[in-house]
Structures are given as structure tokens and as C-alpha cells.
Amino acid sequence: QQLSLQERLRLKEEKKKQAALMKALETPEEKRARRLAKKEAKERKKREKMGWGEEYMGYTNTDNPFGDNNLLGTFIWSKALEKKGISHLDEKDLKERNKRIQEDNRLELQKVKQLRLEREREKAMREQELEMLQREKEAEHFKTWEEQEDNFHLQQAKLRSKIRIRDGRAKPIDLLAKYISAEDDDLAVEMHEPYTFLNGLTVSDMEDLVEDIQVYMELEQGKNVDFWRDMTIITEDEIAKLRKLEASGKGGPAERRDGVNASVSSDVQSVFKGKTYNQLQVLYQGIESKIRAGGPNLDIGYWESLLQQLKAYMARARLRERHQDVLRQKLYKLKQEQGVEFFPIIKREPASPSDRYLFSLPHRLDPEETIVVQPGPSSESGAEPESEAKGDAEGEAVLMEEDLIQQSLDDYDAGKYSPRLMGTNELPFDAHVLEAEEDLHRLLLLRQQLQVTGDATESADDIFFRKAKEGMGADEAQFSVEMPLTGKAYLWADKYRPRKPRFFNRVHTGFEWNKYNQTHYDFDNPPPKIVQGYKFNIFYPDLIDKRSTPEYFLEACQDNKDFAILRFHAGPPYEDIAFKIVNREWEYSHRHGFRCQFANGIFQLWFHFKRYRYRR
């Protein structure tokens, strides 16, 4: 490196000597040309720095298409300098000032570019956030579609079950689905426990049932999950019993070996049967604690098999208690609706001797390995709590079918199903009272009509209501708020009994998309609905004077100017009837749905309100 540095210094010195020798030997013309070339190179470099294009680089003061003899010189705007008060500056100061201005402009341009880049970055971030929001919104919509799809498949599965039950080819899953759906129906009552539907099924049928239960659990998405889990446990237990029976080659269910010795199997079943879920849970915890404690002579296989059987008995107990609770609730609702006092029927059976029982297995275990089976937390010293626990345990057979029938017969004999006599002051405001003779006369006419035609046609009221409901859309609702008319007397009241006409009114509501609502709402978040019109259908089938047309009168509401009273008047034997409506200007054009007619005993008054459109 030291040699190379010395070599460079030597070359530089030689170059300087050659330049000095050339300057000393050159002629004045050569010196002038050298200086002009140096000056042009300097000017060219300056133009490149100022941003001149390649096509303008060869222009000189004498050779340019603009005819400017001072093209290469700096332009000085004297008037602008005088106006700014800096015309006294010399050329050097002006150059320094222009350099500062150019530097400031360059810095400002960099700031503008930086701001533009920041704006573009913020815009990209906003677009990314909007994209994420749109994705989340689409994910919510997709989730809603998935839920709707699952609900559709569930409804289709229930429909297929109903069809199979109706055609007499029901599968076990159909009966279970009908049972679980009957819990939400107050009128449907299933008298048998759900696990009784497994009687008589083969192994293949139960395996199909387990798969169908899994499908229902997925479709219902967590609803009734305890019921389906208990049914799965019971079905798998029955499948295991049938398989063991087939493997043993024995022909009767009494000789099944449920994982324990045949001499102890009957004792185990007698202990498990008749227990409530709480008692079985205590027994389950005792067996688990015994397995965890372990011991040198403990038969782990036996106790695990016993624990597996106990799970099935616990599932049956849960379903049995749930079944009894559902029956009790439905009976209570029925009695509440009928006004009958509720007295629960409880059939108490003698307590099983296995409630307090120490069982041991001498052929498999030592006498020390025993389990205490107790009905609950109560001890033998408290006789009364023990009797209550036994009553809860053995009193589960409540509300059986014959008990319900017997109690219904007793209530009917006691006269509790007979209607109560009501006074005139206890009747509701819009009650329609019929005399016994009038009702009997109408019944005889209907019987004669049925004997002649052989067809029970609709009554006049049914026909009126069917006609009034025609064309009722989703944006319409029934409107039945009646205004009472006080102090109204009729001259014909002594001849005809006044009565209120029947009616079926509809109110039309919708959204008003004015400028304000278009600005502040959209279709996902719509504005509040407003009343846009009414459709009144008043029934006058028994009008005395058929030629008199009913009339309507629009009166102001005294307590609120935003509402009005619409009163209808027809004549004997009908009283006037009035309704409170929104006080707005009506649209009387038939093109906008206005109708005022009386035909076939129905007075129809349909109208919409005017819509005001504001224009500039």
C-alpha cells in the first residue's frame, strides 16, 4: 500500500509538470480555446445540475433557436428586485440569495413528498382496515348463513321424522326427537320414559341410533345436550350387554354377565335399581375414591366395570327425574289454565331394603372391601330426614297415566270443569252477548242448512274475516284499539238492542327515506317506522235498513293535536264505533289505494297519508 501511494504521488507530480510544460509552450489561440472548453464544461455541468434537457445542452449565446444573445447568462428581473427592495444587491449576493431560495424550495419539495407518502400510507391503512371490517362483516353473514343452514337441516330432519312416524315406519331417533320436542309443547304429553324406546332393538339398530344422536347433537348446537348424552350412554351400555350376550352364546337376558360374577350380578342390580340420581352420584364418588385409594387385594377391573354400569344407571335416573318434572310442570300448567287447585299425586312405594346396605364380594374380594350405600347426607339418627330422603327416592313414580285419568274424573264429578256464572258488570267492554233463544234459533238454522246441503260452510263472520284479511302484507299489522264513546243515546234503543259491530282493521307502516334518514340511516340500520295509512273493515251483516250506507266522521282529538278520532255510524241495531288515528292529510286518489265502499255487509275505508317531497 505504501508503494502504491508513492506511485500515485509520483504520477500526480508528473501530470502537473506536463500541464505546466503545455501551458508554457502553448500559443495564445490554444490558451483561449482551452479556457473556452473549460468554461463550457463548467456551464454544461451547471445546466445538468439545474435540470436542463439533453436537447438544450448544445445551445450557446450565438447558436440557439431563440435569438437570445444572453441565453447562458443569469436572468435578472430588475422590476421584481426593485419591488422587493433588493435592487442594490450585487450579482454575487443575488446568486447567494437564489441558492438559498433553491435550497428552501428543495426542502419544501421534500416535505411535500414526505406528506404525500404519509397520506398514501394512511390511505392504504384505511383501505386495509375497511377490508378487514368487510371481511368481519362477511364472516358474520356467513356465520348467520351457517346457522340458518343448520336450522334448515334440523327442521328437515324433524320433518322426516314426523313423516316416518305418520307412515308407521318410525326409527328410534324419530321417537326420541318427538319426545324431546314434546317438552316445549304444552299440549303434547309423553307418558313413557325415553329409554323405553330401546326395548327390542338389535345391535345394528342401536349403532345406527348412536350415529343419529351425534347428528342431532351437531344440528341442535348445544341444545338438549344432556338428554342426548344420557341417551348415548344408555345406548352404548345396551350395545355392550348385547355383545357380551352374543359372545357368551347364552340365550336369555337373565344370564348376562355385566362384567361381574354371576353370583354378585343380581346383588349389584338390586343396589342400583330404585335409586335417585343423587344417591347414585354418592355411590359413584365412593367407588372412585376406593379405586384411587387402591390396595394390595383390590380388583381394579371389577370396580371399573361396576363404575361403567353405574354411569348407565345414573343416566337412566337423570332421564327419569327429568321425565317426572316435565309431567309435573305440564299438569300444573293445565290446572292453572282451568282454574283447578293443584294437588300433586304421589305414589309412595315401600322403601327398598338396599338403602342402607353393606355389600361385599367374598368370591372376589376380602370382607374388608365394602361400600356404604346411603340415600343422602342424612344419618340413621334422624328418622324424619331419612324418611324424606326415602320419599324423594322412592316417590319418583308420580303422575302416572291412571292417576291422571282418575284425578280428571274426580274433578269432573266435583263440577270443577263447569263454567262460572258471570254478571253483566263483569263482562268485557267489547263482549258480544247472545240470548239463549237467539243462539238456539241460529243453531237450528245451521242444522237445517247442513241437512239440506250436507256441507258445513263457513259462518258469516268467518267469511267477513277471510275477506278482510285478503292481501295482508308483511308491512301491515292488525289494529284493534277502540276509543270509548260516552253519553251516546239512540232513539231506537227501546226497539232494538244496541250492539257493537265487529271489525278487522289494519295499519300500514313503513320507512320514510327523506334526506335526513338517507344521511343518518341505511338498510342495515333502518330508521324508525312511521304510520303510512289505515284499512278499516267494519262488519254490518244485520243492518235493518240495507239501503242506508254507513258513514264516517273525522273529529279532532282534544288532548293531543297529533291524533284524530275516526267515528263510524251505520244505524240500528249497531252503535257507533270510533278509533284513534294519526292526524295527517289523506290521499284521496284511487291510484294511491283509497277505497270507501259498502258491499256484502262490509264497510271498507282504506286510505294512505300524503307524502310531501321537498325540492329546491
Side-chain angles (χ1 to χ4, degrees), residues 587-613:
E587 182 68 67
Y588 290 97
S589 174
H590 292 281
R591 293 182 302 139
H592 294 85
F594 181 79
R595 179 186 295 183
C596 181
Q597 67 178 15
F598 178 64
N600 299 325
I602 304 177
F603 179 63
Q604 293 181 328
L605 178 61
W606 296 3
F607 60 89
H608 286 79
F609 296 127
K610 281 188 176 181
R611 296 184 180 180
Y612 299 101
R613 304 186 183 275

Side-chain angles (χ1 to χ4, degrees), residues 104-120:
D104 294 339
N105 292 337
R106 186 181 63 81
L107 295 176
E108 186 68 22
L109 184 60
Q110 289 181 356
K111 291 181 180 179
V112 171
K113 289 181 178 180
Q114 187 69 22
L115 291 176
R116 180 174 57 83
L117 293 176
E118 289 181 359
R119 286 197 302 271
E120 291 178 354

Side-chain angles (χ1 to χ4, degrees), residues 181-189 330:
S181 62
E183 291 186 356
D184 300 330
D185 190 357
D186 294 338
L187 301 179
V189 178
K330 290 188 177 182

Side-chain angles (χ1 to χ4, degrees), residues 276-335:
T276 63
Y277 173 73
N278 293 330
Q279 294 173 345
L280 293 175
Q281 192 173 15
V282 172
L283 189 60
Y284 185 86
Q285 294 173 358
I287 296 177
E288 276 192 336
S289 61
K290 189 175 184 64
I291 293 177
R292 285 196 300 267
N297 298 325
L298 185 65
D299 191 350
I300 299 297
Y302 164 75
W303 288 109
E304 289 180 350
S305 176
L306 200 65
L307 207 62
Q308 192 67 26
Q309 294 184 36
L310 185 56
K311 289 181 181 179
Y313 277 96
M314 291 173 67
R316 287 187 176 88
R318 276 195 299 265
L319 292 179
R320 183 171 62 250
E321 293 177 1
R322 175 175 179 161
H323 177 75
Q324 297 297 334
D325 291 339
V326 170
L327 289 181
R328 191 179 298 108
Q329 291 174 5
K330 290 188 177 182
L331 179 61
Y332 182 72
K333 288 181 180 179
L334 288 175
K335 287 185 173 294

Side-chain angles (χ1 to χ4, degrees), residues 150 153-162 164 172-178 180-181 209-225 227-228:
D150 293 340
H153 288 305
L154 178 61
Q155 297 301 326
Q156 291 297 312
K158 291 182 178 180
L159 181 60
R160 290 193 295 268
S161 298
K162 291 180 180 178
R164 286 194 292 264
I173 189 64
D174 302 334
L175 302 177
L176 293 177
K178 180 184 176 183
I180 197 63
S181 62
L209 178 59
V210 171
E211 296 178 0
D212 295 337
I213 289 175
Q214 296 299 324
V215 172
Y216 261 84
M217 290 179 68
E218 293 178 0
L219 292 178
E220 290 188 349
Q221 297 180 352
K223 185 180 179 182
N224 304 319
V225 63
F227 172 79
W228 294 117

Side-chain angles (χ1 to χ4, degrees), residues 464-584:
F464 291 155
F465 276 104
R466 180 171 51 80
K467 289 183 179 180
K469 290 182 180 179
E470 288 180 355
M472 188 170 180
D475 53 353
E476 294 180 348
Q478 188 174 355
F479 173 67
S480 59
V481 180
E482 184 182 351
M483 288 292 294
L485 297 175
T486 58
K488 191 72 175 178
Y490 303 97
L491 299 176
W492 43 266
D494 55 348
K495 188 176 181 181
Y496 305 104
R497 183 174 58 83
R499 55 179 171 177
K500 289 283 187 180
R502 305 188 69 182
F503 57 87
F504 185 83
N505 303 333
R506 291 183 277 175
V507 57
H508 181 78
T509 59
F511 305 114
E512 185 176 359
W513 292 105
N514 50 28
K515 290 294 183 181
Y516 181 85
N517 290 342
Q518 291 179 11
T519 306
H520 295 83
Y521 300 97
D522 53 14
F523 288 100
D524 294 332
N525 300 306
K529 284 188 175 182
I530 63 171
V531 177
Q532 296 180 347
Y534 295 93
K535 292 183 180 181
F536 292 94
N537 302 276
I538 316 297
F539 305 141
Y540 297 107
D542 300 329
L543 201 60
I544 300 301
D545 189 2
K546 301 291 186 181
R547 295 173 298 177
S548 65
T549 304
E551 301 174 338
Y552 69 90
F553 302 92
L554 191 61
E555 303 170 354
C557 186
Q558 301 298 330
D559 54 352
N560 194 346
K561 300 298 182 182
D562 295 334
F563 293 92
I565 304 298
L566 184 61
R567 180 171 59 89
F568 293 91
H569 172 76
Y574 293 103
E575 298 177 353
D576 291 357
I577 189 170
F579 303 95
K580 187 176 182 180
I581 63 173
V582 179
N583 188 13
R584 289 175 58 187

